[in-house]
């Protein structure tokens, strides 16, 4: 039993370490901006502590909620989330020409973040249902692409291109592993690539950002500062609290570019250790996927695995200049309410499935 429980224990330990690093790094990199904009050194730290507290509550709830019940509730969850996606377009707070947040009192929520987890729950249940009905490849593809594209289109209207891409790729990953025929899947993929290219060309700011990345123009100021932060960290870093980029050289250093601030203060060794921590997190989920026999659980886990993989690889690719700058937070580490709550809720689902895996293996031993 002790050997079996290593998966759940490892997951909890990784979460605690990442939460601790988040608190430490946001305390370090956000205080200049907090003092300037809100007259408080610890403005962002206090809010992140609150987000982590709410995230912990969401984790405890999903960790103790039987994951199989999501299958029956998937339609309701999908509909409620769709209403939120409509709501953000109608009453959402506009910033930089985009509507991505709904103001609720002192706080703002970002529905596109919650959409990632809801689409995973919905597609997992739908795919499981269609597979049990022995639906043909084209039927599965058609019936899963419609709800996926509906969400993607609504998020695109918010002018959140990165979230649109993430939701689409998460859904496509789940559809691909459902066993649809390769020729059907590739045809859909080519169509989506064409639509994506059209979306970039139709919006001047997206095209400008892409061309700026390719031409190394002034549009990549943030990238240059990110690379300076990472490079100046060298082997051991400038040590905690001694980073310079947080003094308004690197915007968004507490959110999408927190890895750059982290690398500046902890160096190459600290950066590698953080990456290994994320690799361990993904490994826990992957091992659970392999060992659990329930196909619905597998679909859920693959969706969550793809969500985290896209965020981790996407964020590192942005801060290293491998892809154009776009808003992709690092799970748990980056500042943010919606992303922290969704991340912790998703990890709670993983933990609940791990507990089901323990029961499965005990029953197999008793037979």
């Amino acid at each position: 039993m002790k050997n079996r429980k290593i998966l759940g224990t490892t997951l909890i330990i990784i979460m605690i370490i990442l939460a601790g690093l988040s608190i430490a790094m946001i305390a370090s990199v956000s205080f200049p901006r907090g003092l300037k904009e809100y007259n408080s050194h610890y403005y962002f730290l206090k809010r992140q502590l609150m987000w982590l507290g709410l995230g912990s509550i969401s984790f405890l709830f999903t960790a103790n909620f039987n994951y199989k019940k999501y299958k029956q509730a998937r339609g309701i969850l999908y509909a409620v989330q769709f209403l939120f996606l409509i709501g953000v377009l109608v009453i959402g707070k506009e910033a930089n020409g985009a509507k991505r947040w709904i103001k609720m009192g002192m706080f703002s929520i970002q529905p596109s973040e919650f959409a990632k987890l809801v689409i995973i729950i919905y597609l997992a249940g739908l795919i499981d249902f269609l597979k049990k009905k022995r639906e043909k490849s084209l039927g599965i593809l058609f019936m899963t692409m419609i709800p996926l594209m509906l969400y993607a289109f609504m998020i695109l209207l918010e002018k959140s291109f990165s979230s649109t891409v993430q939701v689409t790729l998460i859904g496509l990953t789940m559809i691909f592993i459902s066993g649809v025929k390769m020729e059907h899947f590739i045809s859909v993929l080519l169509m989506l690539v064409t639509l994506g290219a059209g979306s970039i060309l139709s919006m001047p700011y997206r095209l400008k950002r892409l061309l700026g990345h390719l031409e190394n123009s002034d549009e990549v100021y943030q990238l240059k500062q990110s690379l300076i932060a990472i490079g100046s960290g060298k082997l051991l870093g400038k040590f905690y609290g001694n980073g310079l980029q947080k003094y308004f050289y690197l915007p968004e250093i507490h959110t999408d570019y927190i890895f750059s601030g982290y690398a500046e203060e902890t160096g190459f060794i600290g950066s590698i250790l953080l990456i290994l921590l994320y690799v361990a997190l993904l490994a826990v989920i992957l091992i659970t996927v392999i060992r659990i026999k329930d196909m619905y659980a597998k679909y859920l886990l693959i969706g969550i695995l793809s969500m985290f993989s896209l965020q981790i690889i996407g964020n590192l690719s942005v801060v290293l200049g491998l892809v154009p700058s776009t808003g992709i937070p690092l799970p748990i580490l980056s500042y943010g309410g919606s992303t922290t709550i969704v991340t912790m809720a998703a990890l709670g689902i993983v933990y609940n499935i791990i507990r089901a895996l323990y029961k499965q293996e005990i029953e197999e031993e008793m037979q």
Side-chain angles (χ1 to χ4, degrees), residues 40-98:
S40 171
H41 288 88
Y42 304 113
Y43 175 83
F44 293 104
L45 174 62
K46 290 176 182 177
R47 291 176 72 87
Q48 184 65 2
L49 286 169
M50 178 182 64
W51 298 135
L52 287 170
L54 291 174
S56 298
I57 293 172
S58 69
F59 172 83
L60 290 172
F61 174 79
T62 55
N64 291 284
F65 186 83
N66 189 335
Y67 73 89
K68 294 180 181 179
K69 292 182 180 180
Y70 295 116
K71 196 185 302 185
Q72 286 74 41
R74 70 180 189 276
I76 296 173
L77 289 172
Y78 184 93
V80 171
Q81 178 60 45
F82 187 73
L83 291 176
F84 272 102
L85 292 175
I86 294 174
V88 75
L89 295 173
V90 177
I91 61 171
K93 182 177 68 174
E94 187 169 338
N96 299 321

Side-chain angles (χ1 to χ4, degrees), residues 7-135:
L7 285 175
T9 303
T10 302
L11 181 68
I12 297 293
I13 291 172
I14 291 171
M15 285 175 53
I16 292 172
I17 294 174
L18 286 174
L21 288 174
S22 175
I23 293 168
M25 288 312 306
I26 288 172
S28 174
V29 303
S30 72
F31 77 83
R33 182 172 175 177
L35 182 62
K36 180 181 179 181
E37 297 183 5
Y38 301 98
N39 199 33
S40 171
H41 288 88
Y42 304 113
Y43 175 83
F44 293 104
L45 174 62
K46 290 176 182 177
R47 291 176 72 87
Q48 184 65 2
L49 286 169
M50 178 182 64
W51 298 135
L52 287 170
L54 291 174
S56 298
I57 293 172
S58 69
F59 172 83
L60 290 172
F61 174 79
T62 55
N64 291 284
F65 186 83
N66 189 335
Y67 73 89
K68 294 180 181 179
K69 292 182 180 180
Y70 295 116
K71 196 185 302 185
Q72 286 74 41
R74 70 180 189 276
I76 296 173
L77 289 172
Y78 184 93
V80 171
Q81 178 60 45
F82 187 73
L83 291 176
F84 272 102
L85 292 175
I86 294 174
V88 75
L89 295 173
V90 177
I91 61 171
K93 182 177 68 174
E94 187 169 338
N96 299 321
K99 282 189 174 182
R100 302 172 187 172
W101 297 270
I102 295 177
K103 185 78 172 176
M104 300 182 72
M106 296 175 58
F107 312 110
S108 297
I109 64 168
Q110 190 172 358
S112 59
E113 287 295 322
F114 290 90
K116 297 171 188 176
L117 184 56
V118 172
I119 200 65
I120 289 170
I121 292 171
Y122 184 79
L123 288 181
L126 181 58
I127 292 170
D128 184 63
F129 172 75
L130 294 173
K131 294 292 287 184
K132 287 179 178 177
K133 280 185 61 180
R134 300 186 181 276
E135 185 67 49

Side-chain angles (χ1 to χ4, degrees), residues 281-282 285 304-312 331 343 346-347:
L281 175 63
L282 299 179
I285 301 174
I304 293 171
L305 179 65
S306 62
M307 180 178 76
F308 288 146
S309 299
L310 285 168
Q311 288 182 324
I312 295 165
T343 296
L347 290 173

Side-chain angles (χ1 to χ4, degrees), residues 142-163:
F142 181 75
M143 284 185 272
T144 52
M145 285 301 297
I146 289 177
L148 174 61
M149 288 298 97
L150 193 55
Y151 263 30
F153 177 71
M154 295 300 296
I155 296 171
L156 188 62
L157 291 179
E158 300 173 12
K159 295 185 178 179
S160 181
F161 189 72
S162 62
S163 292

